Amino acid sequence: MKIALFGATGMIGSRIAAEATARGHDVTGLSRSTGGDVADPEAVRRAAETHDVLVSATGPSRTGEPHQPWLDAVENLIAHAGGTRVLFVGGAGSLLTPDGDRLLDTDGFPPEYLPEATTGAASLQLFRAAPESVDWTYLSPAPVIAPGERTGTYATALDTPAGDFVSAEDYAVALVDEVEQGQHRRRRFTVASA
């Protein structure tokens, strides 16, 4: 399968690239420096026309820059993907507690992550509002994601956390499994290390 991967050099993107390549997929890493900016309509259209799947492992700024340009890029991805499947690396802040509250709205949510989590939740809403023709999947990690072991086993859930932690390696396994199996079309799901 031909996979266009926006954000292929980050912590999660690099692991997705490695996992997909190890399984024999043809991965094209795209970034602003290589003319593959997810905010560029032509770059997204070109990637969609020449690949089976678009994966976005980008995120909003963590250096204090405004987040709206990233949300605009997410809208651009949705608007120009055409009929090509989109898998999106999302955040955990929009996951729900058993009471139905978003994690980002709970008292114990770390304030330093609140701006990024709020923007991430807005990106999920953009996908949920996308036209029926957009074939998307949004994968939220467990509340804590960090480099770790690739066990190849994981637990999933839809809108409530499947566990407290997922290694970036197991997150990549789950995402590439979804690329191959397509079990969560037009919905969000979440993953935790088992």
Side-chain angles (χ1 to χ4, degrees):
M1 198 174 298
K2 294 188 72 175
I3 301 170
L5 176 57
F6 293 94
T9 60
M11 178 188 70
I12 297 173
S14 62
R15 285 160 174 82
I16 292 168
E19 180 69 28
T21 301
R23 296 194 201 184
H25 297 294
D26 181 3
V27 179
T28 303
L30 300 169
S31 67
R32 284 179 291 217
S33 62
T34 62
D37 189 348
V38 73
D40 177 4
E42 187 52 39
V44 173
R45 269 196 296 270
R46 209 170 34 246
E49 289 168 0
T50 56
H51 294 83
D52 302 304
V53 179
L54 305 179
V55 176
S56 175
T58 66
S61 170
R62 292 181 171 169
T63 59
E65 296 170 19
H67 287 183
Q68 189 57 49
W70 181 75
L71 286 172
D72 292 344
V74 174
E75 286 190 279
N76 181 64
L77 175 64
I78 292 168
H80 296 101
T84 303
R85 186 145 186 249
V86 176
L87 275 86
F88 194 82
V89 173
S94 59
L95 291 170
L96 304 178
T97 68
D99 295 331
D101 297 318
R102 297 182 305 177
L103 294 182
L104 67 90
D105 296 325
T106 61
D107 289 339
F109 195 83
E112 63 271 23
Y113 297 125
L114 191 56
E116 183 178 352
T118 302
T119 302
S123 72
L124 176 60
Q125 292 310 114
L126 292 174
F127 278 98
R128 287 180 167 163
E132 289 290 324
S133 59
V134 180
D135 184 4
W136 61 271
T137 300
Y138 189 104
L139 179 52
S140 289
V144 177
I145 182 169
E149 183 183 355
R150 182 200 184 280
T151 67
T153 60
Y154 54 86
T156 63
L158 294 179
D159 287 315
T160 56
D164 295 329
F165 172 81
V166 64
S167 69
E169 289 76 7
D170 281 342
Y171 179 96
V173 172
L175 189 135
V176 178
D177 283 351
E178 180 63 24
V179 166
E180 294 175 346
Q181 300 164 16
Q183 296 186 4
H184 299 91
R185 289 190 130 106
R186 289 192 56 80
R187 67 195 325 191
R188 182 259 293 275
F189 77 110
T190 183
V191 62
S193 291

